[in-house]
Amino acid sequence: MFALFQTIDLVLNIYTWILIVSAVFSWLYAFNVINSSNQFVNSVGMFLYNVTEPVLKPIRRRLPNLGGIDISPIILLVIIFFLRTFLWTTVYPLVS
């Protein structure tokens, strides 16, 4: 059972880093710091978009319009932090 909890924790940790990289990438793309016509940059951007957008889209629908400020990644990071903490402090002691 410990291996299952470690695997879930690892997946949530990796997704956290993908979410952070996606946010930084979107800033770099928006301010033309990276070359948007480069095929590698576009493929990385599409990968990050395809991995994060299905989870961020429902959060964005429920948030009010903040005038160009997107706080949905922050809310998702808080949810992931809560899930990881809940997993290790509440669920794992019950099953171990």
Side-chain angles (χ1 to χ4, degrees):
M1 197 58 129
F2 183 69
L4 175 66
F5 283 100
Q6 276 190 321
T7 305
I8 293 170
D9 187 53
L10 177 66
V11 168
L12 289 174
N13 190 21
I14 290 171
Y15 197 77
T16 298
W17 284 106
I18 288 175
L19 195 60
I20 292 169
V21 168
S22 176
V24 171
F25 183 86
S26 70
W27 295 337
L28 294 175
Y29 193 84
F31 294 119
N32 289 325
V33 175
I34 54 178
N35 187 4
S36 59
S37 62
N38 188 339
Q39 185 177 1
F40 177 74
V41 171
N42 281 334
S43 63
V44 168
M46 285 306 297
F47 168 76
L48 293 172
Y49 179 81
N50 289 334
V51 170
T52 58
E53 189 62 24
V55 182
L56 291 174
K57 190 181 239 181
I59 295 172
R60 285 188 187 121
R61 276 192 304 228
R62 289 184 175 85
L63 290 177
N65 187 4
L66 298 175
I69 299 173
D70 185 17
I71 61 168
S72 58
I74 297 169
I75 292 173
L76 184 57
L77 287 173
V78 170
I79 291 170
I80 290 172
F81 177 77
F82 172 77
L83 286 173
R84 290 179 69 192
T85 305
F86 180 76
L87 188 81
W88 287 109
T89 60
T90 307
V91 177
Y92 181 70
L94 292 175
V95 296
S96 63

